[in-house]
Amino acid sequence: MQRNKKNKEINKGNSRFKKSDMLRKQAEKLLSGKKKDTQNVSAGDVRNLIHELHVHQIELEMQNEELRRAQIEIEESRAKYASLYDFAPVGYFTFNRKGVILEINLTGAKLLAIEKHFLIRTPFILYVTPEFRSVFHSHCQKVFTTGTKQVCEMELRRKKAPYSLYQWKASLHRPAMEICNASPL
């Protein structure tokens, strides 16, 4: 476990080094097209230039540190959101326009009695009883065409369990990407 953590840290360091090296090469390439006459530069100008470069370097280091702090905050926030989503007491499903499951929390997977990773990228209609498939299809179409919250009732097929009737609520989540969120009530 400790070895894996060290390997990840080394890989992150190598990745940062590669990115930094790549940025430097890009900057040098851009600078090469902007060559200026440096023959007639006075010693005072060189001192001023060195001072400005040091100040600029410190500014960049401060900005870099702020970006790192912001990235850590974002990662912590994302982890908190993921935990809240996954362990919510209500099943959450995210579908595309075709009714394919894009995201599902653990409670949603438990509702269908199938492991979460098996459900991602599968059509939700596979878990709807044949009698209610047209209801589900119509429900999805209404959500995407009206852009408003829709409610319907449908019966779900559950692995090794009797069929269960659920009332569903769905609303458009990311209209531009044609994604909606749904959950049983």
Side-chain angles (χ1 to χ4, degrees):
M1 184 76 159
Q2 196 73 324
R3 181 185 210 116
N4 286 342
K5 190 174 182 180
K6 282 187 179 183
N7 286 341
K8 285 181 182 179
E9 289 174 13
I10 290 170
N11 288 339
K12 275 186 182 178
N14 288 341
S15 175
R16 283 191 197 121
F17 176 74
K18 288 177 185 176
K19 286 179 185 176
S20 175
D21 191 43
M22 192 170 70
L23 283 173
R24 180 174 180 84
K25 287 178 182 177
Q26 287 175 343
E28 286 176 348
K29 186 177 178 181
L30 289 171
L31 184 62
S32 69
K34 299 179 181 183
K35 292 268 183 188
K36 295 195 177 181
D37 182 26
T38 56
Q39 299 279 333
N40 299 325
V41 178
S42 70
D45 288 342
V46 170
R47 280 192 295 277
N48 285 340
L49 186 58
I50 289 172
H51 172 77
E52 287 299 317
L53 287 172
H54 283 192
V55 169
H56 188 63
Q57 180 181 7
I58 291 169
E59 287 173 348
L60 288 173
E61 288 170 356
M62 291 168 63
Q63 288 174 353
N64 191 25
E65 186 58 38
E66 184 59 34
L67 286 171
R68 283 188 181 139
R69 273 195 296 273
Q71 183 178 10
I72 289 169
E73 286 177 19
I74 288 168
E75 287 172 3
E76 288 173 351
S77 175
R78 188 194 158 289
K80 181 179 177 181
Y81 164 76
S83 179
L84 286 171
Y85 177 83
D86 260 346
F87 297 107
V90 175
Y92 289 117
F93 297 77
T94 301
F95 303 118
N96 66 12
R97 185 180 269 282
K98 295 178 180 178
V100 173
I101 300 170
L102 302 177
E103 295 176 28
I104 185 171
N105 69 351
L106 294 173
T107 307
K110 189 175 181 180
L111 175 77
L112 297 175
I114 299 174
E115 290 182 43
K116 179 180 171 176
H117 65 275
F118 289 124
L119 294 165
I120 303 296
R121 304 244 181 272
T122 63
F124 184 73
I125 205 138
L126 296 174
Y127 310 104
V128 178
T129 60
E131 302 81 29
F132 284 88
R133 288 183 178 169
S134 63
V135 172
F136 174 70
H137 179 72
S138 175
H139 178 68
C140 283
Q141 292 309 309
K142 284 180 187 175
V143 169
F144 285 105
T145 55
T146 67
T148 61
K149 180 176 80 172
Q150 299 293 318
V151 177
C152 76
E153 240 180 42
M154 61 185 156
E155 199 172 60
L156 298 182
R157 299 165 55 156
R158 298 172 51 196
K159 188 177 179 183
K160 297 180 183 177
Y163 296 166
S164 299
L165 188 64
Y166 292 95
Q167 191 174 44
W168 282 80
K169 172 184 73 172
S171 59
L172 212 49
H173 176 59
R174 291 177 253 171
M177 297 175 69
E178 296 192 327
I179 293 175
C180 78
N181 288 339
S183 62
L185 298 176

